[in-house]
Amino acid sequence: MTMERYDVAVVGLGALGSGAAYQAAIKGAKVIGFEQFELGHVRGASHDTSRIVRTSYGSPEFVALARSAYKDWAELERRSGLQMLNITGGVVFLPRGGPTPSSDFTKSLDENGVAYELLDSKDVNKRWPGFKIPDGIDAVYTPDTGIAHASKSVTTMQYQARANGAVLKEKTRVDRIIPDADGVVIETSNGRVRAGKVIIAADAWINKLLKPLGVEIPLTVMQEQITYFKPKDPARFDPERFPVWIWGGEKWFYGFPTYGEPTIKAGQDAQQNVMSPDQRTFVQSPEILKTLTGFMDTIIPDHGQELRTVTCQYAITEDRQFIIGALPNYPDIIIALGNGHAFKFAPAIGRVVAELAIDGKTIPSASGVSKL
């Protein structure tokens, strides 16, 4: 039988896959995308309300890519007529003598010409009375930090992909990718198609497709959770009065001002609640919640009671670097893996892999985070 042919096929339609489908479609390619579950599902890492956007990183290549991503977010807003980002300002707390010195951040920001302020705990507590930061902490404040609405952003990229001709198929599982001399054949639960290039953005499920090709990424998959707290005085934590924040000590924590409701959201990064994507419980861990609440008691004592806890999923390698690029032995197969911190880069990573698929090359600023 003759198979329908596409220029680009995208496997996985979370944030990175939807970004890839959108960016490939606006470049004029004939695009098809596959999602094994329903669009907007809660089994991965791209649902719920909010994600942090920031240029504040301890590595200059991530700062450069983040600056580029802000332009891609702005273009998505222009095309859709919707606001994706809410800029609040943000602060990264780094204990002196801890594993990550503030100089890593300030040097990276200086190298990229990004504005920031270096504050101490007294400065922070005075400027944002909701905090109670102890002495011995450096705080790097960047005014361009903010919030992306997670589910709305993914849906908007999908709508823009479809508006530019892409075919997006939900509840269609990709079972096998077969490279040959004429591109790739994609075998799905609903038939086969052919594409010149395939972009795999399947996150925790990626090795199911790579193992038959003799490739395996050393991933640890874990169930993460974040908690919404209901403060007694939500106005103190309004986005115009309170920043996005990150704590970079032995353990990393992060949180948000109020956003769309009178709650503040917080979580611990990489909680090591290890489980396979097909055996997730979706049940919150009382131990992880206890750790988070205890930490919140120390730096935001008026956080209020727990209102709800939501789970998501991380699929990460040991070094947490992005994996972006073509497989060495299969140049028509391109990987996009975000290692648990890529949502803020989604339209930029989508553009990078679309450029690799269609043009065969991409912008220099992305090369520092490519691993394949």
Side-chain angles (χ1 to χ4, degrees):
M1 295 178 60
T2 301
M3 287 179 284
E4 180 102 24
R5 183 180 181 93
Y6 294 85
D7 299 320
V8 178
V10 180
V11 181
L13 292 173
L16 299 192
S18 296
Y22 152 64
Q23 294 284 13
I26 67 173
K27 286 175 70 66
K30 185 179 180 182
V31 178
I32 188 167
F34 301 102
E35 170 54 56
Q36 63 177 324
F37 304 116
E38 68 278 5
L39 295 177
H41 67 83
V42 300
R43 298 169 180 85
S46 299
H47 59 287
D48 202 37
T49 55
S50 50
R51 295 293 187 278
I52 296 173
V53 291
R54 59 183 166 114
T55 55
S56 186
Y57 264 91
S59 301
E61 63 268 24
F62 282 110
V63 179
L65 185 59
R67 291 186 68 192
S68 181
Y70 274 65
K71 297 177 183 178
D72 291 299
W73 283 112
E75 176 63 11
L76 179 61
E77 290 179 327
R78 186 193 69 79
R79 287 178 175 271
S80 65
L82 300 172
Q83 182 180 355
M84 300 292 109
L85 306 186
N86 183 8
I87 302 303
T88 63
V91 61
V92 180
F93 300 115
L94 298 162
R96 294 171 196 156
T100 306
S102 61
S103 58
D104 285 0
F105 280 73
T106 58
K107 288 178 182 177
S108 296
L109 294 166
D110 283 336
E111 186 172 322
N112 285 277
V114 176
Y116 66 89
E117 296 177 61
L118 185 59
L119 309 173
D120 62 21
S121 58
K122 292 180 181 178
D123 297 326
V124 171
N125 296 336
K126 182 178 180 180
R127 187 182 297 192
W128 301 290
F131 284 123
K132 188 180 179 181
I133 304 302
D135 293 337
I137 303 296
D138 287 327
V140 181
Y141 173 75
T142 44
D144 63 358
T145 295
I147 303 169
H149 193 293
S151 58
K152 182 173 79 170
S153 298
V154 174
T155 299
T156 300
M157 288 187 286
Q158 292 167 355
Y159 282 168
Q160 288 297 307
R162 281 175 162 161
N164 286 275
V167 176
L168 304 185
K169 293 184 174 292
E170 62 181 345
K171 300 179 182 177
T172 304
R173 185 187 64 252
V174 172
D175 294 320
R176 192 178 179 195
I177 293 171
I178 307 168
D180 60 24
D182 193 27
V184 289
V185 173
I186 299 101
E187 292 187 349
T188 82
S189 55
N190 291 318
R192 309 169 90 203
V193 299
R194 175 175 289 281
K197 304 281 184 177
V198 61
I199 297 168
I200 305 180
D203 202 49
W205 294 270
I206 195 168
N207 281 326
K208 289 184 177 181
L209 298 174
L210 294 182
K211 283 181 181 179
L213 301 172
V215 178
E216 186 171 2
I217 297 172
L219 285 180
T220 298
V221 179
M222 59 190 75
Q223 179 172 281
E224 297 286 286
Q225 64 187 54
I226 55 88
T227 295
Y228 290 83
F229 297 91
K230 179 65 170 64
K232 292 182 180 179
D233 182 13
R236 173 181 283 193
F237 302 99
D238 184 270
E240 295 182 356
R241 301 179 185 178
F242 197 77
V244 168
W245 60 270
I246 296 171
W247 180 278
E250 295 293 339
K251 295 180 180 179
W252 287 70
F253 298 87
Y254 58 92
F256 299 76
T258 61
Y259 182 64
E261 62 177 319
T263 63
I264 57 174
K265 169 183 167 181
Q268 178 188 340
D269 180 65
Q271 299 156 3
Q272 299 301 317
N273 190 12
V274 176
M275 59 185 72
S276 76
D278 298 324
Q279 296 176 335
R280 271 184 63 192
T281 65
F282 296 88
V283 176
Q284 70 179 59
S285 162
E287 293 80 11
I288 291 173
L289 176 59
K290 182 179 179 181
T291 298
L292 174 64
T293 303
F295 177 77
M296 292 287 283
D297 288 344
T298 65
I299 71 161
I300 307 177
D302 296 329
H303 58 77
Q305 67 181 15
E306 175 203 357
L307 188 64
R308 67 181 181 277
T309 295
V310 179
T311 66
C312 67
Q313 183 170 263
Y314 268 14
I316 62 175
T317 62
E318 185 175 356
D319 64 8
R320 298 293 296 272
Q321 296 291 308
F322 296 162
I323 301 179
I324 303 170
L327 293 178
N329 294 330
Y330 302 104
D332 295 329
I333 301 174
I334 298 166
I335 303 300
L337 183 70
N339 249 311
H341 64 113
F343 196 102
K344 66 186 72 66
F345 300 97
I349 292 176
R351 174 174 48 79
V352 167
V353 292
E355 289 169 346
L356 290 174
I358 297 166
D359 305 322
K361 59 182 180 180
T362 188
I363 55 175
S365 64
S367 61
V369 293
S370 298
K371 298 244 354 234
L372 295 173

